[in-house]
């Protein structure tokens, strides 16, 4: 293939899925000349696994990304057709927004956003090689021979890198949804010394809605008062679709068990490691043999299609077995399958080979994002793409790194987990992964991160001022409630009895009443004639911060302790072989990961408190100099 010079850019992004989109937009919006490559322009922002944004923990990521200046939340509010706030029966730390997206509309929105962005070129083409000069990134090469000179590259390859789809005995070299895979790029990355591994994920089958009996299913409507993803969305979103819930049967389990010898998961066809928290249906049957039925969620793919996703039915069983499985489920007994479920294997990097900036340690200027880094999920991919894009820009400009701490965000937790602890399976964010989840609620991401987005240069002065005004209103209203008292009376005590809480006998402030778990902000309105007209979000913040202020104060103290360790840097060139008292395992892990702080070192698997003590004594003695 004859090569030719095709152009010069600051940053190249390989892949235009959820990671690549955010990486490219962040780089271009910060003024860099960027180019984003995709194997097929019709696959920009594709949603092959499920047509939804958000979910438990994932909704937090979308809100945080929005506060920093990312695009996903805006796209969701423009394209989603049903909204539900999950876990409302639990505390606000785990409330998580999830919305069904119109899959094609979302893709169109994201493609057009990329096309309209200044300083950004969108290009269809398969990247087959990343070149270096003097050890650093210098160019990318397309299959057509086009050579683009670049200063940094962000790998956002999703499941395309050496992709292989599996439906029973039918195994094809393929990316998702029948797109062709990116095979030759793997060889280039291996030559650069990147430690690649093999992971797997899967998709559920799709069916035609005209063949579904919805009367046999349970209706799952959206929220009566939907909440948007983006803090900048002014109008409340509108629910324009519904979902349904059904269950598998004992017949479904029997069909799977009788055909396990044909299941690629157990016949040795599939080599990649799959996600523990989103397993294939056949894995559920094997892993939970005593469970007689499993939930399935039936979700629309969009407003202008009859296709429905059958969530919870991810599989790689042969197609004819999948059809029998579907038709054993209430509501799906006459279902016409439009697309079979499939498993997909792909290459990705061991994230321990990445710096906290997501730059590859072995190749300066080469960054990873999304499923290439060993994570799963659209939301996890998007926030990594944003972080990689911002860091690539800041490195080229000679500015300090953009690293979010796990003490201030779920994004920081996700990236720190990947680059410090690594992962042996596709990583998924969950609220349980954060030590500070009461502080990192989805409702207050704007308070936590908007000022950082402004400092980076992706949040306007006006938006920062709006957030500051919002939380000034929260503080003012809290103070007013603390100083507004109610005398005991039949009306207020009747409310308290109705809510199952103690009556007042000597008067109480509105703030003290609101601190009771049974009382909501709206309950006190009849007794609060001086209440100002406040936005719903302000009232929610007032209620949450009053109810949980003791727990919040305790977590803030934990954050202070955490930051003392995080703010204590480790010399980049420290010789761990010279540190007396370090165990062999700890020495090996520290050399491999090269932690940037004592805090990061303490979270490395295999580094014990005794190892940390030895490290502190050594650095305090000055011997590392």
């Amino acid at each position: 293939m004859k090569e030719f010079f095709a152009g010069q850019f600051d940053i190249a992004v390989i892949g235009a899925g959820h990671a690549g989109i955010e990486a490219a937009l962040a780089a271009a919006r910060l003024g860099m000349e960027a180019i984003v490559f995709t194997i097929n322009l019709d696959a920009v922002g594709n949603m092959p696994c499920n047509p939804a944004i958000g979910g438990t923990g994932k909704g937090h990521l979308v809100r945080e990304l929005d506060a920093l200046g990312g695009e996903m939340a805006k796209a969701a509010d423009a394209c989603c057709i049903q909204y539900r706030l999950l876990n409302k029966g639990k505390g606000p730390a785990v409330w998580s927004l999830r919305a069904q997206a119109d899959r094609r509309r979302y893709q169109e929105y994201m493609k057009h956003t990329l096309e309209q962005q200044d300083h950004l070129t969108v290009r269809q083409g398969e990247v087959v090689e990343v070149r270096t000069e003097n050890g650093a990134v210098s160019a990318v090469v397309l299959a057509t021979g086009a050579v683009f000179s670049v200063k940094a590259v962000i790998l956002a390859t999703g499941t395309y890198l050496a992709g292989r789809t599996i439906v029973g005995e039918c195994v094809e070299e393929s990316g998702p949804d029948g797109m062709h895979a990116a095979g030759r790029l793997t060889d280039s990355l291996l030559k650069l010394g990147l430690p690649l591994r093999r992971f797997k994920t899967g998709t559920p089958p799709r069916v035609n809605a005209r063949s579904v009996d919805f009367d046999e299913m349970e209706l799952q409507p959206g929220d009566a008062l939907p909440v948007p993803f983006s803090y900048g969305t002014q109008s409340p979103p509108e629910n324009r679709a519904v979902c349904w819930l059904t269950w598998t049967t004992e017949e479904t389990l029997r069909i799977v068990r009788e055909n396990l010898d044909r299941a690629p998961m157990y016949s040795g066809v599939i080599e990649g490691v799959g996600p523990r928290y989103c397993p294939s249906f056949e894995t559920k049957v094997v892993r939970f043999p005593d469970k007689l039925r499993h939930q399935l969620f039936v979700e629309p793919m969009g407003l202008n299609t009859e296709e429905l996703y059958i969530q919870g039915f991810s599989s790689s069983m042969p197609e004819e077995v999948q059809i029998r499985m579907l038709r054993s489920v209430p509501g799906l007994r006459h279902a016409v399958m439009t697309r079979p479920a499939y498993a997909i294997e792909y290459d990705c990097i061991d994230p321990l080979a990445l710096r906290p900036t997501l730059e590859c340690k072995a190749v300066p200027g080469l960054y990873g994002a999304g499923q290439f880094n060993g994570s799963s999920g659209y939301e996890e991919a998007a926030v990594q793409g944003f972080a990689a894009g911002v860091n690539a820009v800041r490195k080229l400009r000679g500015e300090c790194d953009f690293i979010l701490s796990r003490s201030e965000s779920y994004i920081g937790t996700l990236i720190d987990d990947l680059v410090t602890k690594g992962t042996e399976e596709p990583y998924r964010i969950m609220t349980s992964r954060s030590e500070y989840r009461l502080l990192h609620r989805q409702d207050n991401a704007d308070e936590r991160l908007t000022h950082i987005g402004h400092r980076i240069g992706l949040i306007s002065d006006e938006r920062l001022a709006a957030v500051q005004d919002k939380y000034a209103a929260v503080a003012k209203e809290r103070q007013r409630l603390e100083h507004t008292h109610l005398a005991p009376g039949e009306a207020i005590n009747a409310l308290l009895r109705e809510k199952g809480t103690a009556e007042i006998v000597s008067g109480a402030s509105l703030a003290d009443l609101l601190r009771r778990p049974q009382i909501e902000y709206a309950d006190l309105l009849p007794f609060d004639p001086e209440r100002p007209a406040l936005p719903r979000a302000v009232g929610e913040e007032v209620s949450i911060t009053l109810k949980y202020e003791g727990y919040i104060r305790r977590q803030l103290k934990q954050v202070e302790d955490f930051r003392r360790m995080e703010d204590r840097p480790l010399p980049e060139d420290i010789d761990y072989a010279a540190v007396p008292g370090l165990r062999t395992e700890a020495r090996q892990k520290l050399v491999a990961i090269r932690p940037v702080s004592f805090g990061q070192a303490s979270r490395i698997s295999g580094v014990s408190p005794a190892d940390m003590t030895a490290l502190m004594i050594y650095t305090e003695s000055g011997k590392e100099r």
Side-chain angles (χ1 to χ4, degrees):
M1 181 69 64
K2 184 177 180 180
E3 294 184 356
F4 65 97
F5 177 73
Q8 183 170 346
F9 293 86
D10 295 314
I11 296 172
V13 180
I14 303 176
H18 306 282
I21 287 168
E22 298 292 348
L25 289 176
R29 288 169 177 173
L30 290 172
M32 287 287 171
E33 293 302 321
I35 183 168
V36 57
F37 296 100
T38 174
I39 283 178
N40 192 320
L41 275 170
D42 295 327
V44 170
N46 192 20
M47 295 179 165
C49 295
N50 67 75
I53 298 293
T56 304
K58 294 170 178 283
H60 293 68
L61 293 178
V62 181
R63 280 288 184 85
E64 291 183 349
L65 180 59
D66 184 63
L68 290 165
E71 191 66 29
M72 178 175 269
K74 298 184 185 71
D77 288 343
C79 306
C80 284
I81 55 180
Q82 190 208 46
Y83 286 73
R84 295 182 68 199
L85 189 60
L86 307 181
N87 301 322
K88 279 291 286 184
K90 302 178 182 178
V94 296
W95 294 352
S96 298
L97 188 58
R98 185 178 192 268
Q100 296 299 132
D102 186 311
R103 179 180 172 187
R104 294 303 177 213
R105 190 175 174 202
Y106 188 92
Q107 289 181 269
E108 290 171 1
Y109 175 101
M110 282 304 200
K111 179 173 180 283
H112 200 205
T113 300
L114 292 178
E115 291 167 340
Q116 290 180 304
Q117 180 60 52
D118 293 339
H119 304 291
L120 180 60
T121 298
V122 184
R123 181 72 147 77
Q124 179 166 301
E126 181 188 352
V127 177
V128 296
E129 184 182 359
V130 175
R131 288 181 179 168
T132 60
E133 190 174 307
N134 299 322
V137 163
S138 62
V140 295
V141 184
L142 302 191
T144 57
V147 179
F148 293 84
S149 174
V150 296
K151 301 171 187 174
V153 169
I154 298 169
L155 295 162
T157 50
T159 59
Y160 284 84
L161 196 59
R164 187 173 77 139
T165 57
I166 301 138
V167 181
E169 296 87 7
C170 178
V171 180
E172 298 181 306
E173 304 301 313
S174 172
D177 285 333
M179 301 290 178
H180 77 76
R184 286 176 281 178
L185 183 57
T186 284
D187 294 334
S188 173
L189 300 180
L190 288 172
K191 288 176 183 175
L192 292 175
L194 301 191
L196 300 184
R197 50 168 57 170
R198 199 83 171 145
F199 274 0
K200 175 199 81 77
T201 189
T203 67
R206 262 57 67 84
V207 302
N208 190 311
R210 296 176 61 217
S211 65
V212 174
D213 186 352
F214 297 108
D215 291 339
E216 295 187 18
M217 299 179 178
E218 180 183 331
L219 183 66
Q220 296 273 291
D223 291 340
L225 295 172
V227 177
F229 271 111
S230 176
Y231 292 102
T233 299
Q234 298 301 313
S235 303
E238 179 185 352
N239 287 323
R240 290 173 289 166
V242 295
C243 299
W244 296 268
L245 173 66
T246 187
W247 297 82
T248 61
T249 62
E250 291 188 45
E251 172 71 4
T252 320
L253 305 183
R254 183 189 65 77
I255 293 168
V256 172
R257 290 184 180 123
E258 287 180 356
N259 289 277
L260 277 177
D261 60 319
R262 301 179 65 193
M265 283 290 298
Y266 300 100
S267 65
V269 173
I270 290 178
E271 302 167 358
V273 180
R276 184 189 321 175
Y277 300 103
C278 188
S280 67
F281 186 75
E282 51 267 35
T283 299
K284 293 179 188 177
V285 172
V286 171
R287 190 179 296 170
F288 307 108
D290 298 328
K291 194 164 185 176
L292 299 181
R293 64 177 193 161
H294 298 264
Q295 273 187 337
L296 299 179
F297 294 93
V298 181
E299 302 173 342
M301 196 170 95
L303 297 178
N304 299 315
T305 177
E306 296 303 312
E307 279 196 280
L308 302 171
Y309 280 72
I310 311 301
Q311 288 302 329
F313 231 21
S314 173
S315 178
S316 60
M317 293 292 263
E319 185 171 333
E320 56 96 0
V321 176
Q322 290 187 38
I323 293 172
R324 291 169 57 200
M325 290 163 59
L326 276 171
R327 293 180 178 173
S328 69
V329 175
L332 301 176
R333 300 191 191 279
H334 306 287
V336 174
M337 188 167 71
T338 56
R339 310 189 204 198
Y342 62 86
I344 183 166
E345 291 184 325
Y346 55 95
D347 286 345
C348 57
I349 195 172
D350 180 347
L352 293 179
L354 302 171
R355 303 182 190 279
T357 59
L358 299 182
E359 183 181 26
C360 296
K361 295 173 183 176
V363 186
L366 184 61
Y367 295 78
Q371 286 181 279
F372 178 77
N373 289 354
S375 65
S376 71
Y378 311 147
E379 304 80 6
E380 289 89 340
V383 299
Q384 291 175 69
F386 180 89
V390 171
N391 274 309
V393 171
R394 294 177 74 84
K395 179 169 183 176
L396 293 180
R397 288 179 174 168
E399 298 172 349
C400 63
D401 295 334
F402 167 63
I403 300 175
L404 291 173
S405 167
R406 65 187 300 122
S407 68
E408 62 191 351
S409 66
Y410 274 92
I411 298 175
T413 300
L414 184 158
I415 294 175
D416 183 65
D417 279 351
L418 286 172
V419 305
T420 302
K421 302 175 183 178
T423 184
E424 297 303 317
E425 62 190 25
Y427 177 99
R428 176 182 176 179
I429 196 65
M430 294 176 286
T431 53
S432 60
R433 294 194 189 272
S434 173
E435 305 92 323
Y436 312 107
R437 52 187 173 272
L438 189 52
L439 298 179
H440 301 165
R441 306 183 308 277
Q442 57 93 34
D443 60 271
N444 71 350
D446 55 344
E447 181 184 30
R448 291 184 281 118
L449 299 174
T450 302
H451 66 285
I452 297 177
H454 180 264
R455 189 176 70 230
I456 293 168
L458 291 170
I459 292 291
S460 67
D461 293 343
E462 293 76 17
R463 183 166 171 187
L464 177 63
V467 172
Q468 293 170 336
D469 289 346
K470 171 185 173 181
Y471 286 94
V474 171
K476 184 178 180 180
E477 176 64 357
R478 280 195 53 168
Q479 187 177 35
R480 189 189 70 82
L481 294 176
E482 295 282 9
H483 292 90
T484 303
H485 289 75
L486 285 182
E490 177 53 30
I492 183 63
N493 281 333
L495 172 69
L496 297 177
R497 288 195 300 271
E498 179 188 339
K499 295 291 183 178
T501 184
E503 299 179 14
I504 56 173
V505 294
S506 59
S509 72
L510 292 178
D512 283 338
L513 291 174
L514 189 53
R515 287 186 177 98
R516 299 186 182 191
Q518 304 90 338
I519 303 299
E520 299 299 329
Y521 187 60
D523 296 333
L524 299 176
L525 181 59
F527 308 95
D528 189 10
E530 302 300 319
R531 176 181 293 185
L534 294 172
R536 175 182 170 187
V538 171
E540 183 180 74
E541 286 302 313
V542 169
S543 180
I544 291 172
T545 53
L546 279 172
K547 288 183 185 297
Y548 295 92
E549 63 183 348
Y551 298 101
I552 290 172
R553 197 179 302 118
R554 190 181 310 161
Q555 286 212 335
L556 287 170
K557 175 64 170 62
Q558 293 171 348
V559 167
E560 281 182 36
D561 297 339
F562 172 87
R563 283 181 176 161
R564 275 195 286 272
M565 291 287 278
E566 290 300 299
D567 292 342
R568 189 171 176 180
L570 273 167
E572 191 173 342
D573 59 349
I574 185 171
D575 181 7
Y576 290 106
V579 181
L582 277 183
R583 294 174 307 112
T584 300
E585 180 186 8
R587 185 173 283 113
Q588 291 171 345
K589 292 287 184 67
L590 290 164
V591 168
I593 296 173
R594 308 299 303 183
V596 298
S597 69
F598 276 87
Q600 187 186 5
S602 70
R603 294 188 295 276
I604 296 173
S605 173
V607 175
S608 70
D611 296 318
M612 290 303 299
T613 299
L615 198 54
M616 287 180 183
I617 292 172
Y618 180 74
T619 55
E620 287 172 358
S621 70
K623 290 180 180 178
E624 84 284 358
R625 291 192 290 274

